[in-house]
Amino acid sequence: GAGVSQSPSNKVTEKGKDVELRCDPISGHTALYWYRQSLGQGLEFLIYFQGNSAPDKSGLPSDRFSAERTGGSVSTLTIQRTQQEDSAVYLCASSPGLIGELFFGEGSRLTVL
Amino acid sequence: QKEVEQNSGPLSVPEGAIASLNCTYSDRGSQSFFWYRQYSGKSPELIMSIYSNGDKEDGRFTAQLNKASQYVSLLIRDSQPSDSATYLCAVANQAGTALIFGKGTTLSVSS
């Protein structure tokens, strides 16, 4: 498809388990973002990738969270030792390079029991 | 901590009326401002951007920016039930690496 693709769309896991969320951005988009949205909360910035530059990791809430982007395309967000407060919708967005023009995927809903 | 503040609403307007959505931001150095619309259960989509003081019009939408007052607004003229959604104000950080989003204002347009 032409849009941002995220998988899985839903993930239920037990507290303490590790999870991986995948994002496939729009072809040709150089910038990739991860956000999360909890019930009743706004979008919380997590991490930003731009081309081959060092990522902006300033939004990652703890060292249990990490992300990588391989070959300037697909990105994986990894959450280790999940906690209940990690439950949220994790949104990936890509951009052709102009800050602000973000195209979001449909999100991965994570539920930690 | 850079902040973007919005009234959560809900803001209720009748069909055909003007809906006015407001947003304030804390970083005086911010230069780029955006409005996103998010339908229930869906992802946000960009509807307007504004970079200079004053008004910017696009169809039924007008974005207004006042950097001195650190204030951004979105006016929706001739509101339609299909405009019912949550409207998110977003401000780019000075590094240009992230958008900081407000929590959104929920708009309900009744027919």
Side-chain angles (χ1 to χ4, degrees):
Chain A
V4 176
S5 178
Q6 291 188 246
S7 61
S9 55
N10 279 286
K11 175 71 176 180
V12 180
T13 191
E14 294 179 348
K15 177 182 174 180
K17 300 284 190 181
D18 297 352
V19 297
E20 285 189 351
L21 307 176
R22 176 189 166 99
C23 173
D24 197 345
I26 294 171
S27 178
H29 282 193
T30 58
L32 187 147
Y33 306 77
W34 283 97
Y35 283 83
R36 72 176 176 181
Q37 189 171 33
S38 304
L39 188 63
Q41 300 298 311
L43 277 78
E44 177 186 4
F45 167 73
L46 298 177
I47 190 168
Y48 161 80
F49 296 92
Q50 172 62 273
N52 295 320
S53 302
D56 178 351
K57 303 181 181 180
S58 61
L60 295 178
S62 77
D63 58 8
R64 296 187 296 104
F65 288 72
S66 63
E68 63 176 16
R69 188 179 185 192
T70 54
S73 182
V74 172
S75 176
T76 302
L77 177 69
T78 301
I79 309 172
Q80 296 179 309
R81 305 182 301 282
T82 51
Q83 303 295 311
Q84 289 185 331
E85 59 263 29
D86 299 334
S87 296
V89 176
Y90 288 81
L91 290 163
C92 176
S94 68
S95 170
L98 297 173
I99 182 66
E101 296 184 300
L102 272 57
F103 295 82
F104 284 88
E106 291 301 311
S108 293
R109 181 176 297 277
L110 174 66
T111 302
V112 182
L113 301 177
Chain B
Q1 177 72 13
K2 309 303 182 190
E3 294 184 345
V4 177
E5 299 287 342
Q6 297 180 253
N7 289 326
S8 62
L11 173 65
S12 297
V13 300
E15 183 175 359
I18 296 175
S20 178
L21 304 157
N22 305 314
C23 170
T24 58
Y25 59 95
S26 63
D27 186 357
R28 185 169 289 279
S30 297
Q31 298 293 325
S32 307
F33 308 86
F34 307 88
W35 284 98
Y36 280 74
R37 177 176 61 199
Q38 186 173 24
Y39 290 114
S40 180
K42 300 295 185 181
S43 295
E45 57 179 339
L46 177 67
I47 54 172
M48 289 284 288
S49 60
I50 187 165
Y51 305 95
S52 303
N53 280 330
D55 295 359
K56 179 181 178 182
E57 187 175 319
D58 184 0
R60 296 185 297 110
F61 297 95
T62 299
Q64 299 175 318
L65 174 61
N66 184 325
K67 291 183 180 179
S69 299
Q70 296 176 240
Y71 178 91
V72 190
S73 65
L74 179 70
L75 300 178
I76 306 175
R77 290 182 301 281
D78 188 24
S79 295
Q80 301 297 308
S82 58
D83 295 326
S84 298
T86 297
Y87 289 81
L88 304 170
C89 175
V91 179
N93 66 359
Q94 291 196 42
T97 58
L99 289 188
I100 310 303
F101 284 85
K103 293 184 179 181
T105 298
T106 300
L107 172 65
S108 177
V109 181
S110 56
S111 58

